[in-house]
Amino acid sequence: MSDKPFRWRTIVEVAAISIVIYIVLGAPGLKTPSHIESTSEQDVPIARARAESLVYPDWKDLKCSKHGVDMHIFSTQPLVIYIDGFLSGDEVEHLVDISEGKWQKSTVFNAGVETEDEAVRKSEKALIPRDDVVQCIEQRALSIQGWPKDTFIERLWTQRYNVSGHYSFHYDWSTATKEAMRVSTFMVYLKADCEGGGTNFPRLRMPDDPKWCRYIQCGKDAGGEGVTFKAKEGNAIFWMNFDSERRGYKEVIHAGMPVTKGTKIGLNIWSWYQKGHMAEL
Ligand SMILES: *[C@@H]1O[C@H](CO)[C@@H](O)[C@H](O)[C@H]1NC(C)=O
């Protein structure tokens, strides 16, 4: 009996020391497995390549036409918004045109190393020049989010998926610190002359209202777990990657389903928080 309190203390001390060792070791097991790492993972604080890729649109002289969109909140926790008509038909054509001649194989980052891995991701990507149309789209993405502080747009790439093109389950957030993180994603469909190619979120729940079926696969087409958004030209899905404690939302894991016929072209718009960074216009 007499040594009981002592034993308790030992257990508590051992537990505390174990936790410290675990943290010092970098919390093994809590890391995102390499196969679902972001495609553009960089070490934080800001890597040079990242700094060069962060842009901020010109707000003073750029004239953007008024743009009407039809937004639907899909979920508030995490915030997921469906945006019908995010891009006009002309903008879509333009983005496809300026991608021409720039297509290159998409890559993935595996333990920080850039590789081609068609089992994970099979598509082509094109870095598009920042002309006025593109900057107006950058502006729109920031406006919708309410111009968050120290938040920039990562240079835009279009993505082309031919038959069997796909992107397996992943998060867009990877490493994040207090100073740097990929806060949000707009997944935009440019061209959807295809079958398949929807975007599946296995951890989101099917909404009750069948009005959603114009945007998501329903009934016997529902396919797979969770929710699959159909590829629809000009439309976008927006979501936040982190909660207020800067923890990545597990619910936003997603995959680009294989294209079974035709071609899909997509556009990712990622907003990156970089404390104190000054981007060139
Ligand atoms: C994908 O399809 C386009 C035509 O739609 C073609 O020009 C391109 O070469 C194809 N890419 C690959 C990797 O097969």
Side-chain angles (χ1 to χ4, degrees):
M1 274 308 271
S2 63
D3 63 355
K4 205 173 181 192
F6 171 71
R7 279 218 225 125
W8 264 113
R9 232 187 85 200
T10 308
I11 289 166
V12 169
E13 280 170 356
V14 167
I17 290 165
S18 308
I19 289 168
V20 169
I21 290 170
Y22 179 73
I23 290 168
V24 165
L25 288 177
L30 279 186
K31 293 234 179 78
T32 312
S34 62
H35 67 283
I36 52 172
E37 263 174 17
S38 153
T39 51
S40 60
E41 185 189 342
Q42 299 286 343
D43 286 328
V44 284
I46 191 163
R48 192 178 164 78
R50 166 82 66 191
E52 281 164 4
S53 81
L54 297 180
V55 294
Y56 205 82
D58 175 7
W59 289 92
K60 232 174 68 221
D61 301 321
L62 195 62
K63 297 271 173 291
C64 299
S65 52
K66 185 115 181 86
H67 192 80
V69 297
D70 195 6
M71 299 214 211
H72 310 285
I73 295 177
F74 183 88
S75 154
T76 53
Q77 206 79 31
L79 184 62
V80 179
I81 304 177
Y82 191 88
I83 308 173
D84 191 337
F86 179 77
L87 297 180
S88 71
D90 287 349
E91 287 169 331
V92 164
E93 290 307 323
H94 181 77
L95 294 177
V96 172
D97 285 350
I98 61 174
S99 303
E100 229 16 84
K102 298 193 173 62
W103 295 112
Q104 60 185 85
K105 268 196 167 177
S106 295
T107 50
V108 291
F109 277 84
N110 211 322
V113 180
E114 190 173 17
T115 57
E116 284 171 14
D117 186 349
E118 291 197 340
V120 175
R121 177 178 222 179
K122 188 176 173 196
S123 65
E124 296 159 280
K125 62 178 183 176
L127 181 64
I128 51 177
R130 295 183 67 222
D131 60 21
D132 284 4
V133 174
V134 170
Q135 285 200 53
C136 284
I137 294 166
E138 294 170 3
Q139 274 201 4
R140 193 172 307 151
L142 289 170
S143 300
I144 287 173
Q145 296 176 82
W147 310 284
K149 189 168 185 288
D150 288 347
T151 302
F152 305 88
I153 302 292
E154 294 179 46
R155 278 289 302 273
L156 301 185
W157 294 79
T158 48
Q159 297 278 344
R160 179 166 69 184
Y161 299 82
N162 288 353
V163 171
S164 83
H166 71 103
Y167 191 1
S168 60
F169 290 104
H170 64 282
Y171 300 102
D172 290 347
W173 50 267
S174 51
T175 45
T177 66
K178 277 184 195 165
E179 283 80 34
M181 65 185 121
R182 184 177 277 167
V183 283
S184 67
T185 301
F186 289 82
M187 159 75 237
V188 191
Y189 302 109
L190 300 182
K191 282 283 166 193
D193 306 322
C194 65
E195 282 173 21
T199 307
N200 176 246
F201 290 77
R203 294 184 185 145
L204 291 183
R205 282 192 38 214
M206 280 295 270
D208 293 326
D209 199 300
K211 284 195 277 298
W212 275 104
C213 297
R214 74 185 90 161
Y215 303 128
I216 65 183
Q217 294 177 203
C218 291
K220 61 181 190 330
D221 296 329
E225 305 243 317
V227 173
T228 304
F229 290 91
K230 301 174 189 174
K232 285 188 161 281
E233 292 186 11
N235 292 3
I237 309 157
F238 167 81
W239 66 88
M240 299 295 292
N241 286 313
F242 295 93
D243 67 15
S244 56
E245 311 281 302
R246 299 192 189 90
R247 283 181 303 233
Y249 282 118
K250 299 279 191 285
E251 293 90 339
V252 295
I253 190 166
H254 60 284
M257 302 309 279
V259 170
T260 52
K261 203 173 168 184
T263 299
K264 175 179 86 167
I265 299 179
L267 169 73
N268 286 118
I269 305 176
W270 286 308
S271 297
W272 183 270
Y273 173 74
Q274 188 71 45
K275 195 175 175 190
H277 180 62
M278 306 288 279
E280 280 180 45
L281 289 185

